[in-house]
Amino acid sequence: MADLGAVLKVERLLAGYADSPVCGEVTVDLRPGEVLGVVGLNGAGKSTVARTIAGRQLPLSGTVTIQSVPVSPDAVRFRRSVAAVFDDDLFFPSLTVREHLLLVARGHSMENPDRTVNAELEFFGLEGRADVVPDALSSGQRRRLLLAAGLMRPSTLMILDEPEQRLDPLMRDALAHRIAGHAQDGGAVLLVTHDPALLVSVASRCLVIDDVVNEVKPEQGASTIARS
């Protein structure tokens, strides 16, 4: 397909470690308003591909561009455009939940940061834990804090690596609505998931990661991850 208007364009990407690819070549593009589901068996390389696209590690070969510009995590334009949430609980140990979110809101020059943070605390059920440090949170609460920080900030491309992990069913449903809303507002989403319900409810297209990488319909991707 033509790359006109593509937010993300990946061409013949090989992702892996020590010159050893974890899966086949990835070629795909993603446009505003689309949610690309990334699925595959455990250990297939989904997270490695996502981390490479996000600039967290270098590709073995191939190219990744975001808004026609090569990935550069240190560049202001990249940091303003891309919000990524991975399963790594990286927090400042001396900042409270509220202070973490205020740091994100003010760092991205969001209007009414206090009001925005209060809305996120309510959405993710963290109002009662707003004034504690991350070490005082449960595993699920830390996950919700990570998601709040990633979803609240403006972004053109959102990269989510198994965001459903450690969330209860009600919060998974709320997350699905949030992802769908981001796409409806013109954002693009790269979603790595093992949750068939989340995949079918939000994905426009689906990329199956394996020795050979293929694009399928979301309902086919749901069948694939149900077997993983």
Side-chain angles (χ1 to χ4, degrees):
M1 62 178 70
D3 65 343
L4 182 63
V7 173
L8 169 70
K9 187 169 182 64
V10 181
E11 292 186 308
R12 304 193 66 179
L13 173 69
L14 273 182
Y17 306 90
D19 297 325
S20 297
V22 295
C23 62
E25 285 187 348
V26 178
T27 295
V28 70
D29 53 22
L30 185 56
R31 289 169 173 70
E34 290 187 323
V35 179
L36 178 66
V38 180
V39 299
L41 300 178
N42 287 325
K46 304 179 299 297
S47 294
T48 303
V49 169
R51 293 182 72 87
T52 304
I53 291 172
R56 302 281 180 101
Q57 65 185 69
L58 294 174
L60 301 181
S61 62
T63 61
V64 179
T65 57
I66 294 173
Q67 295 181 315
S68 303
V69 177
V71 168
S72 178
D74 294 328
V76 172
R77 180 175 177 181
F78 179 89
R79 290 186 282 111
R80 292 294 188 189
S81 298
V82 180
V85 179
F86 290 91
D87 195 14
D88 41 12
D89 292 353
L90 300 177
F91 302 109
F92 294 103
S94 61
L95 294 185
T96 67
V97 168
R98 184 186 303 277
E99 288 166 344
H100 273 91
L101 296 180
L102 282 171
L103 186 65
V104 173
R106 290 170 178 160
H108 288 278
S109 302
M110 299 180 67
E111 294 185 6
N112 300 312
D114 290 291
R115 183 185 305 169
T116 300
V117 167
N118 286 337
E120 293 299 329
L121 291 171
E122 181 180 0
F123 182 89
F124 284 101
L126 293 171
E127 311 104 299
R129 308 297 285 161
D131 298 317
V132 305
V133 296
D135 281 349
L137 299 176
S138 69
S139 175
Q141 288 169 340
R142 289 196 299 273
R143 185 61 167 173
R144 282 181 267 154
L145 175 55
L146 279 175
L147 288 167
L151 271 60
M152 70 183 288
R153 48 153 297 193
S155 64
T156 304
L157 173 64
M158 188 180 291
I159 300 174
L160 304 175
D161 185 16
E162 299 185 32
E164 72 276 6
Q165 296 300 310
R166 298 183 269 158
L167 300 182
D168 60 44
L170 287 177
M171 185 53 65
R172 288 190 182 202
D173 288 344
L175 176 65
H177 287 295
R178 191 74 178 268
I179 293 171
H182 181 76
Q184 289 168 2
D185 290 340
V189 183
L190 181 75
L191 172 67
V192 178
T193 183
H194 275 283
D195 186 338
L198 178 61
L199 177 75
V200 172
S201 66
V202 303
S204 314
R205 295 181 289 136
C206 190
L207 196 69
V208 179
I209 300 293
D210 206 335
D211 292 338
V212 178
V213 178
N214 293 302
E215 192 172 326
V216 300
K217 296 179 180 179
E219 57 268 24
Q220 293 173 311
S223 299
T224 298
I225 61 175
R227 296 195 301 270
S228 64

